[in-house]
Amino acid sequence: MQTNLSAEFKKTAQGNEAEAILRSCVHCGFCTATCPTYQLLGDELDGPRGRIYLIKEVLEGKAPTDKTRTHLDRCLTCRNCESTCPSGVQYGKLVDIGRDIVERKTAVTHPRPLMERMKRTALKEGLNSPLFAPAMRIGKLMRPLVPAALRGKVPQSRPIGVIPAAQNFAADARKVILLEGCVQPAMMPTISAATQRILAKLNVQCIIAPKVGCCGAIRFHMNDQEGGRDDMRRVIDAWWPLIERGDIEAIVMNASGCGATVKEYAHALQHDAQYAEKAKRISAMTQDVSEFIAPQVAKLAPHIKSNAKVAFHPPCTLQHGQQIKGVTETILRECGIALTPITDSHLCCGSAGAYSVLNPEIATKLRDQKLGHALSAKPDMIASANIGCITHLQSGTATPVRHWLEILDELCA
């Protein structure tokens, strides 16, 4: 694709990166076939190719409008288009650049309505706040009284169970860092507890650094990119003493959304002289928990006793963001679990971080579409690998939706 960047962006870091991505696009349109919003809305500007043109126009000097921002807002950032693109266009990085520029420019010329600004600020700051955990505890206690529109965002409480203590591990136990994240400890603490118990069966101890909080994904993907980078720096500072100690084998992620973000720390902080090298090492050490378990599954399988039927929904951040496909499914099968098929398993469920709150109509349609495919074979439960997907899908069905590690943990003999 030919480009003619305006003087504002020529020879800038953002401009150079965006131009390289734009020039790799041959506008073939293959991406539209797998874009959930294009399939749902049928508008070229609500598909990757149309959004690429909108970003290109802004970089070439055209002033963005409400319409420009709306079409970029509607993107789920599922990155399905990246899996489909024959030219290797890095759409996710381009849309991050486009959103950042459009947000800054329209804040002056076309500011968002007050209520929209308040909602976005509440999400960006509230999900990271120390007050989120007590608020979620109250929400769980008052769940029957919570308005239906919010009830699906408040998971029912379940027993956490016993978490392996440090003194229970042998001297030769391997050690990994486990990120608990910002919302997961309050919403579904069972996920990290199950992760620690499963890894303990492989003689692996999980180290959880205090006060880590959000990986940076929430702020970064809500157009507060510098705030997101500050979160990333805080995480690196919390982990760095553990890394320097030299006995940490890997950084393990049980939320694929966090995993996709931490694996991109090296890119996000590449221009930060103080953190660039540290970020590069953190990204290189980071693995989704499925990647970590897969080479050792033969040691785990004998502990699992089951004839359960499970439909596995691979989150977009796992299959498109991290390009990890089929690994979790293989682990589940080798542990004796019967997987039922899901038609169009490559498509997004509509959760997409805060997207389901900001764009509820689109998110609900995508959720119901996903559930229709997942439940057609009548599985005993649905599994996924990201808390956002799990919560979003559970809001539309009575069939249990669990993290796949929770399921393995529950089935351990």
Side-chain angles (χ1 to χ4, degrees), residues 178-289:
L178 178 66
L179 174 68
E180 284 197 308
C182 48
V183 300
Q184 189 166 281
M187 294 180 73
M188 292 186 186
T190 47
I191 295 175
S192 283
T195 304
Q196 292 177 70
R197 286 191 290 268
I198 290 293
L199 291 183
K201 293 186 182 302
L202 300 172
N203 194 31
V204 176
Q205 180 186 355
C206 295
I207 309 296
I208 299 172
K211 299 181 181 178
V212 172
C214 181
C215 65
I218 291 174
R219 286 193 174 94
F220 194 90
H221 292 300
M222 291 190 70
N223 299 341
D224 179 7
Q225 295 189 9
E226 198 48 50
R229 290 188 185 94
D230 284 341
D231 287 338
M232 295 173 193
R233 295 181 185 104
R234 188 198 62 251
V235 172
I236 291 172
D237 287 341
W239 284 345
W240 200 248
L242 298 171
I243 302 296
E244 285 192 309
R245 201 169 64 193
D247 59 355
I248 297 297
E249 183 175 330
I251 301 168
V252 172
M253 300 287 159
N254 58 17
S256 61
C258 298
T261 297
V262 177
K263 285 185 177 183
E264 294 186 347
Y265 275 16
H267 177 265
L269 296 172
Q270 62 183 314
H271 302 298
D272 186 319
Q274 185 179 351
Y275 283 89
E277 287 303 315
K278 291 180 180 180
K280 192 182 298 184
R281 187 169 174 191
I282 294 288
S283 291
M285 291 183 68
T286 300
Q287 296 182 37
D288 182 74
V289 67

Side-chain angles (χ1 to χ4, degrees), residues 14 40 70 163 190 227 262 392 400:
Q14 274 190 328
L40 202 61
T70 295
I163 299 174
T190 47
V262 177
H392 186 55

Side-chain angles (χ1 to χ4, degrees), residues 29-95:
F30 284 6
C31 54
T32 58
T34 56
C35 174
T37 50
Y38 177 78
Q39 294 299 313
L40 202 61
L41 303 173
D43 187 332
E44 175 74 12
L45 295 178
D46 284 315
R49 184 169 61 181
R51 293 183 181 115
I52 286 171
Y53 272 110
L54 289 174
I55 295 167
K56 178 177 179 287
E57 287 178 337
V58 171
L59 289 166
E60 291 181 335
K62 184 176 179 180
T65 64
D66 286 341
K67 183 178 178 182
T68 313
R69 187 175 61 213
T70 295
H71 289 299
L72 295 185
D73 283 350
R74 282 185 192 154
C75 175
L76 293 142
T77 326
C78 68
R79 295 168 66 175
N80 202 331
C81 52
E82 290 188 19
S83 293
T84 308
C85 179
S87 303
V89 176
Q90 293 182 306
Y91 172 83
K93 291 182 173 64
L94 181 65
V95 81

